[in-house]
Amino acid sequence: MRLVIESPDEEGKEAYYRTVSTILSESTVRGSIREFYIYADPKEPLVILAITFSKSGEVLKFSDVVTLKAAKEGVIAVCENDKLMPEVLRILWEKVGSDKVEQLSRYEVMVKENLSEEILNAVVYDPSKELMTGLIDIIVRTIPEGFRIRKYMQVEGKIVIVASEDLIKEEWIKMAEKILRGDYVRTADF
Amino acid sequence: MFVPLIFNGGVYRHEELENLVEDLGGYVILKNFAQTEVTMFIIVPEEDVDRVREMVEVLKGELKEAPLAGSEIAVVVPTISIHHLPHPSCDVAEYLRRKGAKSNMVGLSRGVGKRLARLTGFEKELINEHDVAVFMFGNFKHCILEKLKIIKDITVPVVVTGYPRIEVEGMRYVSNFGRFVGKFSRESEIELLEKVAKAVEKCVEEKKRELGEIEIPPYYIKAEIERQIPEVSEALSPAPITVKLDGVRVKLPYEKYGEKIRKVKILDSRIEEFCDVYPSVVEGQTIVKLVT
């Protein structure tokens, strides 16, 4: 992942780099981010944030992550992935009812009913949903808190946010559009 | 001359230390229990510190110096959102607490942004009730210089933290700080906390010098209020009476207890004769301030 920060304030740039790199290192979706670009000008005041990301992974259905074993009273669903287990349990509680679902061990759940087609096709993990949640978290943490006037622009695989505490100027939107096309603003241009 | 100290140890036999402190003419400023552990902020005469150390060794506890004991510090952050909490504000507040201070976190309602940042009347009064205020600002020089304007109404000594290296008149400034989003765990980061604590310490020393020799120290007022108004022990706060440099904060409502506090007898006089007693801006609290 490439992290680029542009700012007329050199010291502020260093500090922002420290802040953003910590935010990104703690994020669960950092693997999907290809480039993270920030233009920050505190004098205007303006922050433009551009995130280029790639969608990774596939949608996982219930039947993909769970193996079923026949039992006397129903079926035993086995899911050996710890991260997906809570979602598997949530689907079972919702569709079958918690009174008919009993967790036998860390990986095994006893279901006292036959599993319907609807349950087997239920989505357990959707990477695009996870990615969006992760990106929103990064955006909220990165943009200065007082910059509450924001404009979001999006194309496939890229999101650009213009944020300020004053009204957003036309020229800033043009800058953001330029960034959206892939031409980054360089401090030297200002 | 009294020396402030922090004792950490087990609950078992801790009363022995408490009794020794009282016998030596010292005071227990604060006592907090955490399950089987107890933390006590104590002050003892300088010449008797060794006797306290001996007792602490017997109790298998730990004794540290507490340069900020007896001071109430406000740690002011722009808001109490994920941008500022838990790091770095809680880390700073906790570090000051370990140095003996009673630190309170103040999250402003309109503290964000550059042009938008301001203090409300309530916030100003609240911060001015403390001994020292630590204002925590961000990364950009331009924003910090703009934001410093909100501090002009603060009458207590101020320490400001921020990233850029700038010179600020009339207040102590700790650079290289800024917006930290992670825990202060590296040595260099702990050093930064130490710098803030040192700056606060200097402010406390200055204020003590300004106040001069105090005839009746605040911890003595605290002990007498505790003795003469037993209801104070029923207050739910972990520190029902907070010792400040120039008085105490009593966590009892002024309307009900104001008169009782005024009449508390200290040596041959009453509190009202040498202190101002007035309601705090915080509901249900009363301030007792020494008239200097």
Side-chain angles (χ1 to χ4, degrees), chain A residues 19-188:
Chain A
T19 308
V20 176
S21 48
T22 320
I23 292 171
L24 291 173
S25 67
E26 284 174 0
S27 171
T28 51
V29 295
R30 64 181 182 278
S32 305
I33 298 173
R34 291 217 320 266
E35 193 175 72
F36 201 89
Y37 171 85
I38 295 176
Y39 176 76
D41 188 349
K43 278 188 186 162
E44 288 284 359
L46 164 72
V47 163
I48 300 177
L49 175 65
I51 308 171
T52 314
F53 54 90
S54 54
K55 282 181 187 163
S56 59
E58 284 173 19
V59 171
L60 293 176
K61 287 183 188 169
F62 191 92
S63 52
D64 298 335
V65 297
V66 168
T67 45
L68 298 172
K69 284 197 285 187
K72 227 180 196 177
E73 295 172 43
V75 281
I76 296 172
V78 184
C79 171
E80 289 184 352
N81 190 330
D82 273 339
K83 282 184 185 168
L84 303 176
M85 194 56 169
E87 190 58 22
V88 168
L89 263 179
R90 195 191 62 78
I91 292 168
L92 289 173
W93 282 343
E94 204 176 273
K95 310 273 184 195
V96 185
S98 56
D99 53 329
K100 288 177 188 164
V101 177
E102 192 189 334
Q103 188 161 6
L104 302 174
S105 68
R106 190 169 156 191
Y107 302 124
E108 291 173 319
V109 186
M110 158 73 91
V111 188
K112 292 170 190 164
E113 201 179 273
N114 281 333
L115 299 181
S116 64
E117 201 63 26
E118 193 195 350
I119 295 174
L120 294 173
N121 286 330
V123 175
V124 176
Y125 175 74
D126 184 354
S128 64
K129 217 167 148 187
E130 295 280 319
L131 179 66
M132 273 306 140
T133 320
L135 286 181
I136 290 167
D137 184 56
I138 291 175
I139 293 165
V140 169
R141 281 164 181 256
T142 308
I143 294 176
E145 214 188 343
F147 288 34
R148 285 176 181 163
I149 301 172
R150 291 172 192 176
K151 186 172 171 62
Y152 289 80
M153 298 169 175
Q154 200 179 354
V155 289
E156 185 65 35
K158 192 167 189 175
I159 185 163
V160 175
I161 302 114
V162 187
S164 177
E165 62 177 337
D166 295 322
L167 287 179
I168 291 175
K169 292 180 191 166
E170 200 57 41
E171 58 193 87
W172 298 347
I173 295 174
K174 276 182 192 155
M175 268 165 79
E177 279 166 355
K178 214 172 138 193
I179 293 168
L180 199 64
R181 288 197 301 272
D183 309 326
Y184 289 138
V185 183
R186 299 287 166 206
T187 316

Side-chain angles (χ1 to χ4, degrees), chain A residues 14 18 140-141 145 166, chain B residues 79 81 83 115 163 177 179:
Chain A
E14 274 171 37
R18 186 185 67 181
V140 169
R141 281 164 181 256
E145 214 188 343
D166 295 322
Chain B
T79 55
S81 68
H83 292 76
R115 183 179 52 80
Y163 188 82
F177 219 90
R179 214 179 111 198

Side-chain angles (χ1 to χ4, degrees), chain B residues 160-199:
Chain B
V160 178
T161 69
Y163 188 82
R165 284 168 285 273
I166 47 174
E167 286 292 320
V168 189
E169 257 181 62
M171 57 193 80
R172 291 197 153 76
Y173 178 81
V174 179
S175 64
N176 216 2
F177 219 90
R179 214 179 111 198
F180 256 93
V181 282
K183 195 179 171 208
F184 284 69
S185 49
R186 290 188 196 125
E187 206 180 326
S188 59
E189 291 159 358
I190 304 289
E191 269 170 29
L192 279 177
L193 293 176
E194 187 60 37
K195 271 187 194 171
V196 178
K198 280 269 177 294

Side-chain angles (χ1 to χ4, degrees), chain B residues 213-227:
Chain B
E213 191 70 34
I214 299 172
E215 248 177 74
I216 299 165
Y219 28 86
Y220 187 59
I221 301 176
K222 173 189 180 271
E224 283 304 314
I225 295 177
E226 267 173 344
R227 204 169 58 81

Side-chain angles (χ1 to χ4, degrees), chain B:
Chain B
M1 179 81 176
F2 283 102
V3 178
L5 299 164
I6 300 177
F7 164 75
N8 274 312
V11 173
Y12 176 62
R13 283 175 72 189
H14 82 278
E15 312 85 12
E16 287 178 32
L17 178 68
E18 225 177 316
N19 291 341
L20 176 71
V21 169
E22 275 162 26
D23 292 346
L24 295 172
Y27 298 91
V28 176
I29 299 176
L30 187 76
K31 191 164 77 170
N32 267 336
F33 292 100
Q35 296 190 345
T36 54
E37 296 278 306
V38 63
T39 304
M40 281 201 290
F41 291 3
I42 52 175
I43 54 157
V44 284
E46 205 175 1
E47 57 273 20
D48 296 321
V49 173
D50 287 339
R51 295 182 67 177
V52 175
R53 269 188 213 289
E54 278 166 29
M55 171 64 95
V56 171
E57 224 162 88
V58 172
L59 297 178
K60 303 264 184 287
E62 193 189 11
L63 200 66
K64 278 190 299 183
E65 279 193 19
L68 298 175
S71 62
E72 198 186 30
I73 317 287
V75 178
V76 188
V77 283
T79 55
I80 45 168
S81 68
I82 197 163
H83 292 76
H84 312 283
L85 287 178
H87 317 292
S89 34
C90 289
D91 297 39
V92 170
E94 177 57 26
Y95 201 80
L96 295 177
R97 219 167 281 146
R98 286 183 193 180
K99 293 272 174 183
K102 168 77 179 69
S103 58
N104 295 326
M105 191 102 69
V106 182
L108 305 178
S109 55
R110 297 274 183 277
V112 295
K114 184 180 77 170
R115 183 179 52 80
L116 303 171
R118 65 204 59 207
L119 287 177
T120 62
F122 171 77
E123 286 160 359
K124 263 178 233 165
E125 283 176 39
L126 178 64
I127 296 166
N128 285 338
E129 272 182 11
H130 290 80
D131 293 316
V132 178
V134 180
F135 278 80
M136 306 194 64
F137 292 149
N139 292 341
F140 292 101
K141 184 179 173 181
H142 187 75
C143 292
I144 294 175
L145 291 175
E146 280 282 317
K147 273 189 160 181
L148 285 175
K149 288 173 191 163
I150 68 169
I151 301 175
K152 67 179 189 300
D153 295 323
I154 301 299
T155 52
V156 294
V158 170
V159 174
V160 178
T161 69
Y163 188 82
R165 284 168 285 273
I166 47 174
E167 286 292 320
V168 189
E169 257 181 62
M171 57 193 80
R172 291 197 153 76
Y173 178 81
V174 179
S175 64
N176 216 2
F177 219 90
R179 214 179 111 198
F180 256 93
V181 282
K183 195 179 171 208
F184 284 69
S185 49
R186 290 188 196 125
E187 206 180 326
S188 59
E189 291 159 358
I190 304 289
E191 269 170 29
L192 279 177
L193 293 176
E194 187 60 37
K195 271 187 194 171
V196 178
K198 280 269 177 294
V200 173
E201 230 173 275
K202 276 186 185 148
C203 290
V204 169
E205 275 166 24
E206 263 171 36
K207 197 163 176 184
K208 272 185 187 166
R209 224 175 296 137
E210 254 174 54
L211 290 166
E213 191 70 34
I214 299 172
E215 248 177 74
I216 299 165
Y219 28 86
Y220 187 59
I221 301 176
K222 173 189 180 271
E224 283 304 314
I225 295 177
E226 267 173 344
R227 204 169 58 81
Q228 294 177 41
I229 310 178
E231 292 95 316
V232 79
S233 63
E234 285 162 25
L236 291 171
S237 164
I241 301 182
T242 305
V243 178
K244 291 159 42 112
L245 294 178
D246 57 354
V248 292
R249 179 191 292 274
V250 187
K251 282 146 189 190
L252 285 175
Y254 175 79
E255 296 74 26
K256 202 171 167 192
Y257 292 96
E259 214 42 47
K260 268 192 185 172
I261 295 170
R262 276 177 211 279
K263 299 290 179 226
V264 167
K265 221 175 154 198
I266 289 178
L267 301 174
D268 292 332
S269 51
R270 294 188 184 279
I271 276 189
E272 60 184 354
E273 290 167 35
F274 57 90
C275 284
D276 282 336
V277 180
Y278 56 90
S280 161
V281 286
V282 183
E283 211 181 320
Q285 298 188 4
T286 308
I287 300 280
V288 177
K289 193 177 178 184
L290 287 159
V291 181
T292 46

